[in-house]
Amino acid sequence: MADQVGFVTMGDAKGQIGELPSIGVGMLGYAFMGKAHANAYRKLPYIMWPPPAVPRLVAIAGRNESAVQEAARRYGFEGYYTDWRQLVADPRVQLFDNGGPNDAHAEPCIAAAEAGKHIICEKPLGRTAAEAKQMLDAVQKAGVKHACAFNYRFVPAIRQARQLIEQGALGQIYHFRAVYLQEWIADPSFPMVWRLRKENAGSGVLGDLGAHIIDLARYLVGEPKAVNGMLKTFINERPLGDGSGKTGTVDVDDAFLAMVEFENGAIGTLEASRFATGRKNHQVIEINGSKGSLVFNLERLNELDVHLNDAGPREVQGFSNVLVTESYHPFWSNWWPHGHIIGWEHTFVHELHHLIDAIVNDKPIDPHGATFVDGYRAAVICDAIELSSRENGARVAIEY
Ligand SMILES: NC(=O)c1ccc[n+]([C@@H]2O[C@H](COP(=O)([O-])OP(=O)(O)OC[C@H]3O[C@@H](n4cnc5c(N)ncnc54)[C@H](O)[C@@H]3O)[C@@H](O)[C@H]2O)c1
């Protein structure tokens, strides 16, 4: 099957499949990430067939009873709790999935680890590196499996990019260039939300979008040695949006820039903003090496632009657009005939399948899945960029 190209039915019988085990899932939060994760738990048993275990959606925790009850019904959870402590104490829950805001990551994840649950927590793992370290210590002490939801590692084109780099197809890596640009708070009348408060979010776009490209830098190129950073807040006061006419203070960054020197000698730039008018979810990565380059654009996630110095006659040298949808491309044999593209939500199917396989079959989550180690390291790098910005762009060494 792996080498089959063109039309494949994906409906082949896989033979003697016995009874499938199940794994009890308890989820915190039912909004954006809750929906993305619930969608993936529902899909993964039949798309990633045969699944290592069928997710049993035990309960969702939220604070508002009628809303969490409706979410449980909508996403197919058996029940709900209005306090995450009840969820963590539920013996049916084997995997705790934390899709809450950043200030609801540490305490519930640490409690879940102490209760012996395996955990996946959304990024950024903690609001600071110190908080992320407490979470890492807790899961390591408990000996549970732990994943940090850096889902872009599970885009087929990103996994393919990593394979190309590992195979040496790009040669020695010189440059990593990443931007992650959105526009959703550019309007000054956009109200205060938890993402704009340091107390809730830890940082602004740095920990939100920056953490993703920091993780991809580590995944694709390697460990950073040092960073220089600049953070900027463009709009400091915003309406509370509660009808009171009052405003609240934005105490996190709206945009950041960083220079990175990697341990392997490569250099990089990172930039993220929520003020990039016209940009929706523009995550673009370019990597240049001695033998070639690649470009990835999240809004074209089935594609990878690849240039190889010695591919073909010089008259046609340049970037080729590769549709990463062949059955021999990463993850693809589970999906559709080539060219029948997949979307952003399917990265979560791959991610949660990988996690459940690791739990059920006692496999490591790293190097392809991100763990709390990766969540902690991304937080160290975020803190270093913030420190550099406070010190007028001074170079800050990365020490884990
Ligand atoms: N991997 C990604 O691509 C990605 C994308 C968006 C967000 N995220 C991360 O996911 C997390 C959640 O973000 P979101 O966009 O889903 O936020 P959101 O505001 O849409 O949803 C947060 C949910 O948590 C609930 N909640 C808040 N406090 C709670 C508490 N104390 N107990 C129980 N429930 C509580 C809210 O009611 C809501 O259901 C954040 O850490 C964010 O950084 C990751």
Side-chain angles (χ1 to χ4, degrees):
M1 183 61 113
D3 288 318
Q4 201 171 338
V5 296
F7 184 77
V8 281
T9 69
M10 310 292 160
D12 295 345
K14 296 270 199 283
Q16 303 291 316
I17 294 168
E19 194 146 324
L20 291 166
S22 68
I23 179 164
V25 177
M27 199 162 81
L28 185 155
Y30 48 81
F32 183 19
M33 279 308 101
K35 185 178 183 181
H37 288 213
N39 177 58
Y41 287 121
R42 297 290 298 265
K43 276 198 173 67
L44 80 83
Y46 57 85
I47 292 290
M48 311 300 277
W49 183 260
V54 178
R56 174 183 173 194
L57 303 182
V58 172
I60 308 187
R63 295 157 303 173
N64 176 316
E65 178 155 13
S66 63
V68 72
Q69 184 177 26
E70 186 177 328
R73 193 172 153 205
R74 176 176 180 176
Y75 300 137
F77 281 75
E78 293 167 25
Y80 65 88
Y81 292 112
T82 51
D83 184 342
W84 58 260
R85 288 168 191 83
Q86 295 166 297
L87 183 73
V88 163
D90 187 328
R92 296 171 301 165
V93 172
Q94 296 159 279
L95 169 59
F96 175 62
D97 184 328
N98 193 332
N102 306 350
D103 59 339
H105 286 184
E107 198 188 349
C109 284
I110 290 169
E114 286 168 353
K117 316 291 184 189
H118 305 293
I119 303 175
I120 179 162
C121 182
E122 266 302 340
K123 45 52 59 179
L125 187 61
R127 286 168 292 183
T128 59
E131 190 171 69
K133 182 68 166 58
Q134 288 174 359
M135 298 169 73
L136 172 60
D137 289 346
V139 291
Q140 286 181 332
K141 186 173 171 207
V144 295
K145 298 281 186 196
H146 45 95
C148 183
F150 285 121
N151 57 307
Y152 298 123
R153 293 182 178 213
F154 292 90
V155 175
I158 290 287
R159 184 64 59 85
Q160 185 60 61
R162 161 112 175 188
Q163 285 178 14
L164 284 173
I165 293 166
E166 273 180 348
Q167 288 159 3
L170 301 190
Q172 183 189 340
I173 304 302
Y174 296 135
H175 293 286
F176 177 85
R177 219 169 283 116
V179 296
Y180 200 163
L181 307 176
Q182 299 182 348
E183 65 169 357
W184 59 277
I185 57 170
D187 180 350
S189 66
F190 186 91
M192 288 297 291
V193 289
W194 68 261
R195 282 182 162 84
L196 301 177
R197 291 194 175 92
K198 195 176 181 68
E199 181 191 358
N200 303 120
S203 65
V205 76
L206 175 61
D208 187 14
L209 307 184
H212 276 300
I213 53 177
I214 287 167
D215 182 66
L216 288 175
R218 292 186 54 251
Y219 182 58
L220 295 171
V221 179
E223 293 295 351
K225 193 158 116 183
V227 293
N228 303 73
M230 180 196 287
L231 272 55
K232 184 79 184 170
T233 306
F234 299 115
I235 294 178
N236 296 93
E237 288 289 318
R238 286 182 179 275
L240 288 181
D242 58 0
S244 67
K246 293 183 181 155
T247 60
T249 302
V250 175
D251 53 1
V252 296
D253 51 291
D254 288 331
F256 90 95
L257 301 171
M259 297 197 302
V260 185
E261 185 182 359
F262 292 88
E263 278 176 0
N264 63 11
I267 58 172
T269 56
L270 307 172
E271 177 183 4
S273 177
R274 296 157 169 167
F275 277 69
T277 46
R279 294 299 184 192
K280 311 299 174 186
N281 198 25
H282 185 81
Q283 182 199 103
V284 176
I285 287 166
E286 177 162 329
I287 299 177
N288 312 116
S290 58
K291 293 186 184 171
S293 298
L294 60 82
V295 181
F296 169 76
N297 178 350
L298 179 60
E299 289 172 333
R300 302 277 182 273
L301 71 73
N302 291 274
E303 302 168 30
L304 200 58
D305 287 333
V306 182
H307 162 76
L308 296 175
N309 297 349
D310 53 6
R314 67 180 182 183
E315 290 81 359
V316 292
Q317 277 286 300
F319 281 89
S320 302
N321 181 265
V322 179
L323 198 55
V324 189
T325 64
E326 298 292 348
S327 59
Y328 46 76
H329 282 135
F331 306 108
W332 206 268
S333 61
N334 291 99
W335 289 100
W336 317 119
H338 57 184
H340 294 65
I341 54 178
I342 62 167
W344 173 84
E345 73 271 34
H346 302 125
T347 61
F348 298 92
V349 175
H350 302 154
E351 177 178 64
L352 294 173
H353 172 265
H354 181 79
L355 169 65
I356 292 173
D357 189 32
I359 293 170
V360 172
N361 297 311
D362 195 18
K363 294 180 183 168
I365 288 169
D366 61 357
H368 293 303
T371 67
F372 277 25
V373 173
D374 299 291
Y376 163 66
R377 291 185 174 199
V380 169
I381 297 164
C382 285
D383 280 10
I385 291 170
E386 200 169 356
L387 174 63
S388 168
S389 180
R390 280 202 306 274
E391 297 188 349
N392 298 316
R395 182 180 162 95
V396 176
I398 301 300
E399 282 160 28
Y400 296 130

